[in-house]
Amino acid sequence: MDSADNTAPTNAGPARSSRMAFAAIILSVFAFILPFGVAAVVLGHLAARRIDASRGMLNGKATARAALIIAYLQMSLVLVVALVGWQLFHLTVRDFRRDALVQRVFRDADSRAPLDATSAREEEITAQALTIQIVAIQDRHYRVGQGYLCSIGELVQAGIEGTPAEKEAFNERLRQSAYNFELSVCSSGSDGSLLARYDLTGVPRTPRMPTGSATYCADETGAVKQMRGGTSVDCFDHGYVIVKPAKPDVENPPSVASPVK
């Protein structure tokens, strides 16, 4: 053992190589693997101390020093590579999150995530405002002689009255809403038909909106209704009126006969 060699007299025989230094140099080759690097450093220092204390009975100090140099260099290189790699990874992730396609994926994921009670209530208020705005767009479009719009896509293109920024804000709220808006039973009336009409429904999306969320509905009369539970058809039949029907224009009455619901 090395401990016995360290206490032996200097004239006990020729010096022999330190097996600890040899093990250190072998481990130093794999010092880029952290456990091996630590082991190489520890064994290198111990070997150097024992060789110094052996009074010439052990040799291999150069080997121990070489093991320490190799181990420290490799571990330092690994540290530098790790730091640079982490920085590059951080920059890549930041750019990745800024990518338009990735942001769209995140928005789509968020659009399917269930909302808490506070956020769900805010979405209800927004959906109510959007329903009223859609009715206003339909009324404006009809009054200028272009008839009712029969798809949400056409309605988005028409937009609300106001600045481009206000129109874009309306379109963005409509796209990101937790409600699904639909126009059905629609007859434009732009061709002079006497049966111009539309049904508008705003139904909460599941599972994003909790059970029992408000459903909104409206028609060409301008009346906007709200109902909790039931279906959109129930909303038309039994919903609570939150916006009363628009008063008829006495001087310029409409030339259509709206069916009674």
Side-chain angles (χ1 to χ4, degrees):
M1 299 294 291
D2 288 344
S3 58
D5 294 334
N6 290 341
T7 59
T10 56
N11 59 356
R16 62 184 180 84
S17 299
S18 172
R19 288 174 289 181
M20 191 174 292
F22 180 75
I25 196 67
I26 295 298
L27 291 174
S28 68
V29 177
F30 305 97
F32 57 89
I33 303 175
L34 184 60
F36 291 160
V38 172
V41 169
V42 171
L43 289 179
H45 282 293
L46 289 177
R49 290 181 182 180
R50 290 194 175 186
I51 292 170
D52 289 339
S54 68
R55 295 182 295 177
M57 295 301 298
L58 288 174
N59 59 30
K61 190 170 183 179
T63 302
R65 289 178 177 175
L68 290 173
I69 293 173
I70 295 173
Y72 279 127
L73 284 177
Q74 287 208 63
M75 292 175 69
S76 298
L77 181 61
V78 169
L79 178 61
V80 171
V81 171
L83 291 175
V84 173
W86 174 255
Q87 185 66 20
L88 291 175
F89 175 77
H90 176 73
L91 293 175
T92 301
V93 170
R94 186 184 63 183
D95 294 340
F96 181 76
R97 292 181 64 88
R98 290 178 177 177
D99 185 84
L101 178 60
V102 174
Q103 289 183 351
R104 180 178 178 181
V105 172
F106 286 156
R107 286 196 300 269
D108 291 343
D110 290 340
S111 66
R112 293 188 294 269
L115 297 173
D116 55 42
T118 301
S119 299
R121 178 54 183 163
E122 292 175 352
E123 285 291 338
E124 283 189 359
I125 296 173
T126 301
Q128 177 179 317
L130 288 172
T131 303
I132 296 172
Q133 288 177 315
I134 291 173
V135 171
I137 294 172
Q138 291 281 48
D139 181 67
R140 171 172 57 85
H141 207 263
Y142 180 76
R143 287 181 179 275
V144 298
Q146 296 180 332
Y148 292 124
L149 300 166
C150 290
S151 74
I152 296 297
E154 294 175 339
L155 190 140
V156 169
Q157 291 180 356
I160 62 173
E161 288 185 311
T163 65
E166 291 173 335
K167 291 183 178 181
E168 179 60 29
F170 166 74
N171 295 341
E172 188 66 19
R173 288 197 301 271
L174 197 61
R175 285 193 296 266
Q176 295 185 357
S177 175
Y179 275 70
N180 182 40
F181 292 93
E182 183 178 357
L183 288 165
S184 60
V185 194
C186 183
S187 177
S188 173
S190 58
D191 56 355
S193 171
L194 298 179
L195 297 177
R197 60 171 299 183
Y198 70 88
D199 283 352
L200 168 67
T201 55
V203 180
R205 300 177 187 269
T206 55
R208 193 177 186 192
M209 295 294 291
T211 303
S213 298
T215 296
Y216 299 98
C217 58
D219 57 23
E220 71 281 353
T221 66
V224 179
K225 298 181 180 180
Q226 170 184 310
M227 183 175 183
R228 295 187 181 277
T231 64
S232 56
V233 175
D234 296 327
C235 178
F236 285 108
D237 294 337
H238 309 292
Y240 172 75
V241 177
I242 57 178
V243 176
K244 294 182 179 180
K247 293 182 180 180
D249 190 335
V250 177
E251 296 183 357
N252 301 291
S255 61
V256 296
S258 300
V260 179
K261 296 190 176 182

